[in-house]
Every structure is written in C-alpha cells, then in structure tokens.
Amino acid sequence: MNRTIGRFELRGELGRGAQSTVYLGFDPQLQREVAIKTLQLNSRDPSQNASLLAEARAVSKLRHPNIVPIFDAGEEAGQLYLVFEYVPGQTLAAFLRQSGPSTPVKALFILRPVLDAIAQAHARGIIHRDLKPSNILLDENGTPRVMDFGIAAQVDAPDETGDTYSGTPAYMAPEYIARRECTERADVFAA
C-alpha cells in the first residue's frame, strides 16, 4: 500500500468495521506509527463525517492510561480521518478467541482498568455506548485500552437516533432495548 492521507503514509489495514476502516499509518513529521480511522472510502455522507468528528471531540477530552488517545483529525477530499496512538497488540475479542474463557483473576485484571477508563469518560459526561471485547485493545504487556467511541453520547443529551438502535445487540442494556434509556448504566452492563 503506497498511499497517503494528509501528511500520513498508509502502510496497511489494521481492521474494518461496518462503517469505518482503520489503517496502520506513519507520521513522517514525528517519526512514529499511528492508527488512522476513516469512513469507508466510498462514503461521503456529511452526517457520517459529523459523527466521526464528534468522536474525535469526545475522545480528545479524555486523558486516561486505559483509553487510546487521539492525536489529530483532518479532512482530505471531503473525507474526515482521525489519527490515534498506534497500540500494538490485539483486541480482547481476538484474545478470548485464542485463549478461551479467562480465569476470574485474569478477568478482573482486564476489567478493572476498563471500568476505571469508563468511569473517567462518565466523569467527563461521555457514555461509550458500544463497549465490547472488539473495542478493547490489549497492548503488548496485556494492558487493556478502550477504543472506538464512534457512537458515544453525552450524558443527559437528547436521543437523536429516532427509532434506530446504536450499538451491538449482545451488549445492549435491557433498559436501552426496552425504553431507549441511554445512561452510564449501559456501559456498566456491557462491561
């Protein structure tokens, strides 16, 4: 892959979701690897760009060792992109697929820092709304790092999603499914 976006070199694909792609990138100015999140390259929907920018603004407010920080946001040819710290490792989902169920001690070792990170987000008025194993990275030392605040919501913000649901059904809190209540409890349930 020999492409660039902004000043960043794209070196390969790290992952792909329903609406976005994450690339391994290189910042030639600071001489470091980064993760670059873009919307699917064939999509130019302004509302999706607004959603990605909202994620950037939400994550930029958070400072916690267990949250993957954002370094930059930019736009190229009408396409918004976010630049995050590159965290070598694997998602918790991949780890669980490889190793099977965790012991209670290992589960607590992973869950405690995740809950600390989510508590910090809640203290800043941000609800993750899509906390799940594939949105938790385990770095090379096994330290969990929460990522992908793509559908995060502000505490006490009106729900503007209409009749649609946002998130992953298996991790949705019962009160969200039944009454569309989106509170901090939804993240606790997902954890």
Side-chain angles (χ1 to χ4, degrees):
M1 180 175 245
N2 188 20
R3 295 182 29 214
T4 61
I5 187 165
R7 75 172 191 259
F8 304 97
E9 300 169 12
L10 299 180
R11 293 192 166 172
E13 189 175 303
L14 293 172
R16 183 179 294 263
Q19 297 179 345
S20 62
T21 304
V22 179
Y23 297 96
L24 174 63
F26 183 75
D27 181 345
Q29 187 171 352
L30 296 176
Q31 297 287 301
R32 66 180 175 186
E33 289 184 315
V34 293
I36 302 170
K37 180 178 183 178
T38 65
L39 295 173
Q40 298 297 357
L41 294 176
N42 60 359
S43 173
R44 296 257 163 90
D45 181 352
S47 68
Q48 289 180 323
N49 274 356
S51 175
L52 199 60
L53 189 55
E55 175 184 0
R57 289 179 178 140
V59 176
S60 71
K61 296 176 185 177
L62 303 175
R63 301 279 186 272
H64 193 279
N66 299 104
I67 295 176
V68 177
I70 188 166
F71 290 156
D72 198 1
E75 187 177 333
E76 184 166 297
Q79 172 117 19
L80 195 65
Y81 62 90
L82 306 181
V83 181
F84 294 90
E85 174 186 5
Y86 170 61
V87 179
Q90 64 181 336
T91 66
L92 178 57
F95 171 78
L96 292 172
R97 276 192 304 275
Q98 291 171 356
S99 66
S102 294
T103 65
V105 171
K106 179 67 175 174
L108 285 173
F109 175 78
I110 293 169
L111 194 55
R112 173 83 191 256
V114 168
L115 290 173
D116 287 345
I118 292 300
Q120 202 265 355
H122 292 170
R124 294 286 195 158
I126 299 168
I127 302 168
H128 189 285
R129 295 197 329 162
D130 200 21
L131 189 63
K132 58 186 177 183
S134 61
N135 284 339
I136 298 170
L137 282 173
L138 297 177
D139 69 16
E140 293 172 317
N141 298 318
T143 303
R145 311 273 303 275
V146 178
M147 63 176 185
D148 199 352
F149 283 76
I151 62 169
Q154 294 290 321
V155 174
D156 298 327
D159 185 0
E160 299 176 0
T161 58
D163 291 333
T164 62
Y165 290 91
S166 294
T168 304
Y171 297 93
M172 288 180 182
E175 65 270 15
Y176 179 67
I177 294 169
R179 297 181 301 281
R180 307 271 308 175
E181 289 178 14
C182 184
T183 68
E184 296 95 332
R185 293 186 313 266
D187 287 343
V188 175
F189 176 85

